[in-house]
Amino acid sequence: MARAVEIRQFGGAEQMQLVDVAVLAPGPGEVRIRQHAIGVNFIDVYQRTGLYPNTLPLRLGMEAAGEVLAVGAGVTHLAVGDRVAYAGFPPGSYCDERSMPAQGVCRLPDGIGYETGAAMMLKGLTAQYLLKSCKPVEGLEPGDHVLLHAAAGGVGLIACQWAKALGLRVIATAGSDDKCALALANGASHAINYRREDFAQRVREITAGEGVKVVYDSVGKDTWEGSLDCLRPLGLMVSFGNASGPVPEFAPALLAAKGSLYVTRQTLFVHTRTRERVQRMADDLFAVVQSGAVKIHIDQRFALADVQQAHRSLEARKTTGSSILLP
């Protein structure tokens, strides 16, 4: 038996309950993992509230790191005793132990601990595809400005550092002066407190009226319109989250009026849809972390039993960097 966090109806943090569950032996293509640390992400909130619908009852969590206890038939890239980390479906990482598909599970390199592994997989792989696969039609070159919202969060701090390593100039937004300072300390060239300043106006000032080639936006509704106003002609709006709520419907003609803009809504799990793709992305992430160019900030640690508080802190935007649960 193991402990797992489960919801029986969609709603607030109070819906999450710690329950005892049976852990089955791994089937074909699966591994059994004893979890050492578990990542907490906004996608977990979206699944808990029902914004991203799933069948109930639902066990939550998309990211963790631990040790392989058993390997099912057909799994060749992992062995018993391997230190591993993962981000992917099905949900259920908020637990002590689980059996799950091995497709998205990667061996952790020496020198990367369980807590770091749990804190960086979903967020780091997201930063990887944003910077490497979501490029504007005119491309990105060293010296180009990019706009990154929620820059002091888990994805944001990784993306700030990685973008700087690629030679990009990040204009970061965050909701407090302290968070802006954190973004600047992690590679951003400029930081805007969106609670005190009009971020679209400031972006135009910073870029001498030109605008940025690309906006990376996980906030959603609250930043959508302003983000479009930050783009130069033929610029790319990359929406990859809904922290403030879903983006409202809009007429495509709006994009023409604002400069023949491009818009895309991205999700990590399309990019990691094959074993080969997820390993390639993970190797890129592991390399940049091991090089020291990207450091993983774990700023909040909660016991698994305190998962409700972890979600409340995340939703209230009281967190910075990554949050993890410890079984």
Side-chain angles (χ1 to χ4, degrees):
M1 300 294 289
R3 299 178 304 159
V5 174
E6 184 176 270
I7 62 170
R8 296 188 175 275
Q9 63 183 41
F10 300 119
E14 71 281 357
Q15 298 299 332
M16 295 184 293
Q17 301 298 322
L18 203 56
V19 298
D20 292 326
V21 298
V23 182
L24 302 177
E30 294 185 338
V31 289
R32 183 169 177 169
I33 299 173
R34 177 183 294 126
Q35 316 250 88
H36 287 255
I38 302 154
V40 179
N41 298 282
F42 260 106
I43 190 172
D44 309 337
V45 174
Y46 304 154
Q47 291 178 347
R48 190 203 76 218
T49 62
L51 178 62
Y52 292 178
N54 286 275
T55 301
L56 295 172
L58 175 66
R59 296 176 193 170
L60 293 174
M62 300 294 289
E63 174 185 46
E67 176 188 356
V68 174
L69 298 180
V71 175
V75 177
T76 59
H77 70 287
L78 298 172
V80 173
D82 280 349
R83 300 169 57 256
V84 297
Y86 65 87
F89 284 96
S93 69
Y94 288 7
C95 65
D96 297 316
E97 195 174 305
R98 70 183 299 202
S99 289
M100 64 174 293
Q103 182 264 336
V105 180
C106 300
R107 278 187 291 182
L108 272 177
D110 294 340
I112 298 181
Y114 288 124
E115 291 193 2
T116 299
M120 78 179 194
M121 288 298 285
L122 191 145
K123 292 167 279 288
L125 293 176
T126 298
Q128 196 276 348
Y129 85 70
L130 290 174
L131 293 170
K132 299 297 184 72
S133 298
C134 296
K135 296 183 179 181
V137 67
E138 294 183 328
L140 283 175
E141 302 292 339
D144 283 343
H145 284 104
V146 301
L147 177 62
L148 175 66
H149 290 300
V155 173
L157 291 182
I158 294 172
C160 278
Q161 296 173 78
W162 206 334
K164 182 181 180 181
L166 294 173
L168 302 174
R169 292 186 287 177
V170 176
I171 303 174
T173 75
S176 72
D177 290 343
D178 287 345
K179 288 185 175 182
C180 285
L182 186 58
L184 290 169
N186 282 272
S189 298
H190 305 272
I192 303 167
N193 182 341
Y194 64 80
R195 297 188 189 279
R196 292 195 295 103
E197 298 182 273
D198 181 330
F199 71 82
Q201 180 179 332
R202 284 286 292 122
V203 166
R204 290 290 174 178
E205 292 171 358
I206 291 166
T207 61
E210 187 175 45
V212 297
K213 284 185 174 180
V214 61
V215 175
Y216 299 114
D217 190 344
S218 62
V219 177
K221 176 174 64 69
D222 289 354
T223 50
W224 174 255
E225 187 172 345
S227 292
L228 295 181
D229 290 336
C230 292
L231 287 165
R232 61 190 284 180
L234 303 180
L236 173 64
M237 173 67 180
V238 183
S239 173
F240 67 102
N242 316 281
S244 67
V247 171
E249 294 182 3
F250 65 96
L254 177 67
L255 304 178
K258 290 183 179 292
S260 296
L261 303 179
Y262 292 80
V263 173
T264 182
R265 178 58 168 92
Q266 295 286 309
T267 180
L268 170 63
F269 304 113
V270 172
H271 291 270
T272 58
R273 64 188 181 277
T274 68
R275 168 83 211 122
E276 294 74 21
R277 289 179 66 93
V278 71
Q279 191 64 60
R280 185 167 63 250
M281 292 170 65
D283 288 344
D284 197 15
L285 172 61
F286 295 153
V288 77
V289 170
Q290 289 181 298
S291 75
V294 170
K295 295 178 173 60
I296 307 300
H297 294 264
I298 304 173
D299 294 338
Q300 296 81 214
R301 292 172 171 83
F302 301 88
L304 181 61
D306 294 329
V307 64
Q308 292 185 6
Q309 183 55 50
H311 271 227
R312 291 188 179 106
S313 296
L314 184 64
E315 289 180 280
R317 303 190 194 183
K318 295 180 178 178
T319 64
T320 57
S322 297
S323 298
I324 60 171
L325 302 171
L326 299 173

